[in-house]
Amino acid sequence: MPTRALLASYRSYRRLFAAPGAAAFTLAGLLGRLALSMNGVSLVVLLAERRGSYALAGTVSAAGLVTGAIGMPLLGRLVDRYGQARVAVPAALYNAVPLAALLLCVRLGAPDWTLYLCWAAAAAAPNLGGMARARWAHLHRDDPAARHLANSLEQALDELCFMAGPVLAMLLCTGLAPEAGLLTAGALGTTGALLFAAQRRTEPPLAGRSLAEPPMAGRSSDGRSSDGGKHGSPLRVPGLRVLALTFLATGMVFGANEVTTVAYAESLGHRAAAGPLLALVAAGSCVTGLLFGLLTPRRAPATRFLLGAAAMAGVLLLPLAAGLGGAGLALLGAVLFAAGTATAPTMVTGMTLVQELLPQRQFNEGMAVAVSGIVVGISAGSALAGTLAEHTPPGTGYVLPAGAAALALLIALTGRRHLRTPGGGTGSGPGARENAERVVSASV
């Protein structure tokens, strides 16, 4: 990227942190998300080393994913009702207890069922990514261009964590001790959550004290209330159901792609190359996410979401072609990087739609529902890809992420009428237009 473009990008994203406290809650949340990205690899290495079973490690990990998918929206509802700090602090302190119990059970050789119990109980970690997005939505409630930029930044940070987290976990588990990964992840997660909760000046107010909720928030395009009542589930909103199902299919893309890439690299005799190959997928998404934030949204979010899903379905045909064609590591790495480039625009616009379809009092629960869909999809995609890898030639498994991306596009197309936001959601008001012009001028 040319120096002028890099400088313009820096200035555009620096504008987000002009709000007091924005940098503090972003850095604190980053610690928590880094811990989350370390957990899966750390658990697998620990149980494979201490118990000698990858099968046990996989099923224990799946148990945590299931309980996390259930518990995350419940925690989100509590956050919307009582505030971020009042929920994040006890949740983070509680979460450290079953994590410590798991390490103790492994150390003492406790029965396998205790591992399932402890890891399932440890899945109630606060969703710092969703809370951070809720803070950005509140800070820039009158500035659609800044919200778009912030959602793009958050997606890029997610991808950065999922590039660095597994690598750090492997270094700790193999260089120090098998327990070192989970110990570090637990310390980072608890510290990050407590520091995040301490940033009170950027915490969104509760619904009863909110001055920012738009007059049309929580209403569908036909004017009917769509929030399901003050304490109703956000899943009563048809648009959120469409997004959750689309994200579930997108999660299947992630899970199937990860397992298939590991199996393919192993078939080539280079299993250690699987980590860098998967990092290239995240890198493609991270770079595209940052660049996507610099673009001025000119189409409605629903249209952008459909275009992103279509692009994702298209580029995921590249790894399928490479795998079936017996491509080497270099070519596979190039197509995986390309495959990652369509993920960020889809995820960024999807989170924007969650914010625009729901009233502010349901932001955290709604975003937790979306993330839960991704988590369930990852679990399902990983399981299907593992089965396919054992019974088909190397590379055949790439049919799963390609098929899941096509399914995500089909779901989005079928439910597109429910994704329309009041006024088109293009940010065409005077304040939005002024801030969009600033983004354009900074990027030229």
Side-chain angles (χ1 to χ4, degrees):
M1 185 184 292
T3 305
R4 283 186 64 187
L6 283 173
L7 185 59
S9 302
Y10 168 74
R11 288 172 177 168
S12 296
Y13 280 99
R14 187 181 63 177
R15 183 171 69 90
L16 287 177
F17 297 101
F25 82 73
T26 300
L27 292 174
L30 197 59
L31 286 179
R33 280 185 280 187
L34 181 62
L36 180 65
S37 69
M38 295 172 61
N39 280 338
V41 172
S42 298
L43 178 71
V44 169
V45 174
L46 172 65
L47 296 185
E49 179 69 22
R50 298 301 189 200
R51 293 295 175 97
S53 173
Y54 279 102
L56 174 65
T59 52
V60 171
S61 178
L65 287 173
V66 171
T67 55
I70 296 171
M72 203 177 297
L74 297 178
L75 275 178
R77 175 172 291 197
L78 292 175
V79 169
D80 286 326
R81 187 173 299 181
Y82 299 109
Q84 294 186 355
R86 292 180 65 186
V87 175
V89 171
L93 295 176
Y94 154 80
N95 204 59
V97 176
L99 179 60
L102 172 75
L103 292 168
L104 190 61
C105 287
V106 172
R107 187 74 176 176
L108 297 177
D112 289 350
W113 65 264
T114 61
L115 308 181
Y116 289 99
L117 181 63
C118 291
W119 193 246
N127 179 19
L128 297 186
M131 292 186 197
R133 286 176 171 90
R135 292 194 181 211
W136 287 120
H138 172 67
L139 287 174
H140 301 289
R141 54 194 176 274
D142 299 320
D143 189 344
R147 289 202 306 273
H148 169 72
L149 198 65
N151 282 332
S152 299
L153 174 66
E154 288 295 317
Q155 184 62 33
L157 292 178
D158 281 343
E159 300 295 351
L160 182 64
C161 286
F162 280 92
M163 280 192 293
V167 175
L168 177 59
M170 285 297 295
L171 288 174
L172 290 168
C173 290
T174 57
L176 295 178
E179 293 83 3
L182 278 183
L183 281 171
T184 303
L188 288 176
T190 303
T191 302
L194 295 179
L195 290 176
F196 184 91
Q199 312 305 314
R200 300 302 296 269
R201 59 180 170 178
T202 52
E203 181 176 350
L206 296 179
R209 298 195 299 269
S210 175
L211 302 176
E213 192 165 316
M216 289 295 291
R219 293 191 175 274
S220 61
S221 56
D222 60 3
R224 293 176 297 174
S225 175
S226 62
D227 63 3
K230 184 173 182 179
H231 301 302
S233 169
L235 280 172
R236 295 185 183 184
V237 182
L240 184 60
R241 294 199 295 270
V242 173
L243 289 170
L245 288 173
T246 307
F247 282 152
L248 189 149
T250 305
M252 290 178 66
V253 171
F254 300 153
N257 193 58
E258 181 174 340
V259 173
T260 302
T261 300
V262 172
Y264 189 82
E266 187 172 7
S267 73
L268 295 178
H270 297 283
R271 188 179 184 183
L277 286 173
L278 293 172
L280 285 171
V281 181
S285 183
C286 181
V287 170
T288 309
L290 291 172
L291 294 176
F292 185 66
L294 300 176
L295 300 177
T296 305
R298 298 192 181 278
R299 292 186 172 93
T303 303
R304 301 201 306 270
F305 189 66
L306 289 172
L307 290 173
M312 189 168 64
V315 296
L316 278 164
L317 295 175
L318 296 175
L320 175 59
L324 294 178
L329 292 178
L331 179 57
L332 182 63
V335 299
L336 286 176
F337 180 88
T341 58
T343 303
T346 309
M347 299 295 295
V348 169
T349 310
M351 289 301 178
T352 299
L353 278 168
V354 172
Q355 295 169 7
E356 296 199 5
L357 287 168
L358 295 176
Q360 184 180 336
R361 62 176 173 267
Q362 290 186 312
F363 272 9
N364 289 284
E365 186 179 1
M367 282 183 278
V369 166
V371 173
S372 293
I374 296 172
V375 168
V376 172
I378 290 174
S379 181
S382 298
L384 289 172
T387 302
L388 202 59
E390 289 185 2
H391 299 95
T392 61
T396 308
Y398 283 116
V399 72
L400 284 175
L407 177 61
L409 175 59
L410 179 61
I411 294 170
L413 283 170
T414 303
R416 63 187 181 278
R417 68 185 182 91
H418 297 302
L419 300 178
R420 295 171 186 157
T421 53
T426 56
S428 56
R433 191 179 305 116
E434 177 186 350
N435 284 287
E437 288 170 358
R438 286 192 204 136
V439 176
V440 174
S441 63
S443 305
V444 172

